[in-house]
Amino acid sequence: MSTLRGASTFFGCETLNRVSFLREDVEFVKNTLTHGSTTFVPFIRGEALSSNGSLYSIKLDESQSVMKPVVNKLLPILNTSASRLRNSGVNLTFLGLKQGEDSREGVFVYRSQYKGTPYYGIDFHVDSDTLVKPSDIAPLTKMPLLDRETIFEMDNEDASIYSHAKMYLDWLSKYHFCPGCGSPIYPVDAGTKLQCSNANREVGCQVRDARVTNVYFPRTDPVVITAIASRDFSRICLARSKRKHGDTVMYSTIAGFMEPAETVENASRREIWEETGIRCEDVAMITTQPWPYPVNLMIGCLGLVDANGVNEVISLTHDEELLDAQWFSTEDVSKSLEAYDGNGMVRFKDSIRLPGSTAVAFHLIKHVCDKYKRRQASL
Ligand SMILES: [Zn+2]
């Protein structure tokens, strides 16, 4: 068994109970939006706010909270066309109930069994024409934005709430019109689904009228990312992308977007062959990681290669996405990982860096090293 199973990758720590079945319950949504403990994670035009290096959040009943007047403006227009971003200036999305504080006095309770602090992500795109005005949120606009470096230094709970809110809000801010009939769409189910506003049944909409449709649900883009190892784990193939990482020479695993009608295993094998020329038959999924840039799910795999003079030969001439790919000794990589203090990237050889522990690639490389070491110990 891998030591990874059951552990959370960075951005992948589920701290909230999403109670997804309650999002369409209008009474539940209204109750959460009027409860004093309800906590909002505000974004300004898609960027979260920083409070002393942490993710900024604010409770509804906090003194001088700007949230109460904002929520009072939003409550009457929930689930109507008026709640669209260009009218309201706001995207709101329910994230879940934070549990563990259930015995506390004043905790939110619904139908006597769903307890916890309600969490919402809220993204402001306000101007003088929107329902919520810039003056309504003036204190927030003076706060510093959370930069990417800080995000990767946050604890995983905060980073995961950020990632969760960011992905929903990114989706809500990008989709404005129905792909079936071009009518404006607006959020329903506490900002977790979009709905076509075309109410005229005489004007057909192939999306609205479809028996099964999922186009209104949030988008997640699956990416397969694979650590390639020799069957005996003694060698690992790492690649350097043409994408610049500043002056850093970084080697990592192979990644690419899944395509329609592909299995995870086939997508992994295809990406490996297209990018490195390596023929890898044996692929298994190891772990996954949500990645909010913008809405990816990284599906971490291990690919094992049976060296036979053909399978393992590297060729960068198919896709030409890589600057270099090499087989390295797992022993050497293991030593670098052992010397790693958990901060930033892993130092490998003099000039090479490997991804740090916030990236799923690190855990895949470590998985190969662990397998190698266990194999060595049993010989
Ligand atoms: Zn439509």
Side-chain angles (χ1 to χ4, degrees):
M1 282 286 278
S2 157
T3 50
L4 257 177
R5 288 178 210 278
S8 293
T9 44
F10 197 68
F11 294 130
C13 167
E14 195 75 1
T15 57
L16 306 174
N17 182 341
R18 299 189 185 214
V19 286
S20 62
F21 49 92
L22 291 176
R23 295 169 189 155
E24 59 185 41
D25 180 338
V26 175
E27 191 192 340
F28 169 79
V29 173
K30 286 196 170 155
N31 286 5
T32 55
L33 282 172
T34 48
H35 196 267
S37 74
T38 296
T39 303
F40 294 85
V41 180
F43 287 66
I44 305 283
R45 296 191 183 273
E47 302 286 341
L49 305 177
S50 165
S51 169
N52 299 320
S54 299
L55 178 68
Y56 176 72
S57 64
I58 186 165
K59 287 192 184 300
L60 187 72
D61 68 356
E62 219 162 279
S63 65
Q64 292 162 358
S65 168
V66 299
M67 292 314 307
K68 217 170 228 169
V70 167
V71 168
N72 286 340
K73 281 190 170 184
L74 296 177
L75 277 170
I77 59 163
L78 288 181
N79 302 323
T80 72
S81 286
S83 69
R84 319 174 48 202
L85 184 62
R86 66 172 55 183
N87 304 111
S88 66
V90 177
N91 275 324
L92 182 68
T93 190
F94 176 68
L95 304 175
L97 298 175
K98 188 167 198 175
Q99 295 172 322
E101 301 166 331
D102 301 356
S103 57
R104 199 165 44 84
E105 209 179 310
V107 75
F108 174 83
V109 184
Y110 189 66
R111 285 199 222 138
S112 73
Q113 57 173 322
Y114 306 113
K115 301 178 187 176
T117 305
Y119 267 68
Y120 277 86
I122 187 164
D123 187 15
F124 295 99
H125 294 241
V126 293
D127 59 43
S128 55
D129 294 329
T130 52
L131 177 70
V132 175
K133 306 287 180 203
S135 57
D136 291 329
I137 58 157
L140 298 183
T141 54
K142 294 186 184 97
M143 293 184 68
L145 302 176
L146 198 58
D147 59 51
R148 199 186 283 208
E149 202 171 293
T150 310
I151 290 164
F152 282 95
E153 286 165 2
M154 292 196 301
D155 67 56
N156 200 10
E157 271 199 25
D158 268 5
S160 300
I161 289 175
Y162 162 80
S163 162
H164 181 169
K166 170 86 176 146
M167 290 206 212
Y168 271 94
L169 294 171
D170 183 86
W171 163 71
L172 285 168
S173 73
K174 281 181 181 160
Y175 292 80
H176 301 282
F177 299 99
C178 175
C181 68
S183 301
I185 45 182
Y186 60 93
V188 293
D189 294 1
T192 60
K193 191 180 170 189
L194 291 161
Q195 189 156 301
C196 175
S197 63
N198 174 4
N200 185 352
R201 287 279 150 187
E202 282 163 20
V203 178
C205 169
Q206 59 180 14
V207 168
R208 180 198 62 192
D209 303 336
R211 204 155 63 86
V212 178
T213 171
N214 67 353
V215 298
Y216 292 137
F217 290 102
R219 176 172 157 173
T220 298
D221 297 340
V223 176
V224 272
I225 176 163
T226 310
I228 309 167
S230 58
R231 174 74 63 184
D232 65 358
F233 296 100
S234 66
R235 293 196 301 157
I236 180 167
C237 177
L238 298 171
R240 187 180 176 195
S241 167
K242 281 185 179 165
R243 249 182 324 146
K244 288 263 181 205
H245 298 273
D247 294 332
T248 309
V249 177
M250 180 153 97
Y251 277 73
S252 187
T253 48
I254 298 292
F257 283 102
M258 280 188 68
E259 300 204 338
E262 256 185 332
T263 63
V264 168
E265 293 84 353
N266 286 340
S268 169
R269 281 189 281 264
R270 175 179 57 76
E271 283 292 339
I272 291 170
W273 178 77
E274 286 180 359
E275 294 192 18
T276 68
I278 291 171
R279 290 164 199 277
C280 171
E281 283 303 314
D282 194 356
V283 171
M285 208 184 80
I286 305 298
T287 190
T288 59
Q289 178 185 36
W291 191 251
Y293 303 105
V295 288
N296 298 349
L297 176 67
M298 311 300 286
I299 303 171
C301 298
L302 168 68
L304 294 179
V305 178
D306 291 307
N308 61 2
V310 176
N311 290 346
E312 74 278 23
V313 175
I314 292 171
S315 163
L316 306 180
T317 56
H318 303 301
D319 192 346
E320 301 192 346
E321 207 172 290
L322 299 177
L323 210 55
D324 186 35
Q326 288 182 44
W327 285 101
F328 294 99
S329 139
T330 308
E331 180 84 39
D332 292 348
V333 175
S334 288
K335 282 181 185 147
S336 298
L337 260 55
E338 280 160 25
Y340 176 57
D341 64 3
N343 294 312
M345 286 190 261
V346 177
R347 297 175 71 89
F348 176 53
K349 302 183 182 288
D350 279 343
S351 58
I352 298 178
R353 295 293 173 269
L354 307 178
S357 58
T358 53
V360 71
F362 169 90
H363 296 282
L364 298 174
I365 294 168
K366 185 169 181 300
H367 181 82
V368 172
C369 293
D370 290 346
K371 287 273 191 190
Y372 168 73
K373 281 191 275 190
R374 222 165 297 148
R375 209 184 150 92
Q376 290 301 105
S378 69
L379 285 180

